[in-house]
Amino acid sequence: MRLDKFLKVSRLIKRRTVANEACDAGRVLVNGVVAKASMKVKVGDVIEIQFGSKTVKAEVLDLQDTTKKEEAKELFRYL
């Protein structure tokens, strides 16, 4: 699954366009490497997102094309 789609589906970032912009700005890292929006995400990858001065780290637990708001938390866990 593409990184930008996973960020949207998991609700780590609310909109896919915002996820794309964050990736283009170099604020998203996957396994410690700056990632493009088109990068393929796998279960077990560690995603790091920089929101201004705050950094969020999450591990991918599951991949789904769509999910309900309540189930989105089950796609990742915070580190």
Side-chain angles (χ1 to χ4, degrees):
M1 174 183 286
R2 285 176 55 109
L3 175 61
D4 57 345
K5 182 165 183 175
F6 177 78
L7 292 173
K8 178 195 168 284
V9 170
S10 66
R11 290 173 172 74
L12 283 167
I13 296 181
K14 294 228 190 271
R15 290 185 203 91
R16 194 163 175 181
T17 53
V18 176
N20 270 313
E21 291 167 3
C23 291
D24 291 343
R27 296 194 318 253
V28 181
L29 292 92
V30 176
N31 298 327
V33 179
V34 176
K36 292 186 176 181
S38 61
M39 182 177 189
K40 297 292 182 198
V41 178
K42 303 176 294 297
V43 174
D45 284 349
V46 176
I47 299 174
E48 196 172 330
I49 309 166
Q50 297 160 350
F51 295 107
S53 62
K54 190 175 103 174
T55 301
V56 175
K57 247 185 175 179
E59 180 184 359
V60 179
L61 298 178
D62 193 14
L63 298 174
Q64 293 181 9
D65 287 333
T66 59
T67 185
K68 294 182 177 145
K69 186 178 181 182
E70 300 82 30
E71 298 167 0
K73 295 182 219 102
E74 298 168 13
L75 298 178
F76 66 92
R77 72 177 167 104
Y78 289 112
L79 300 175

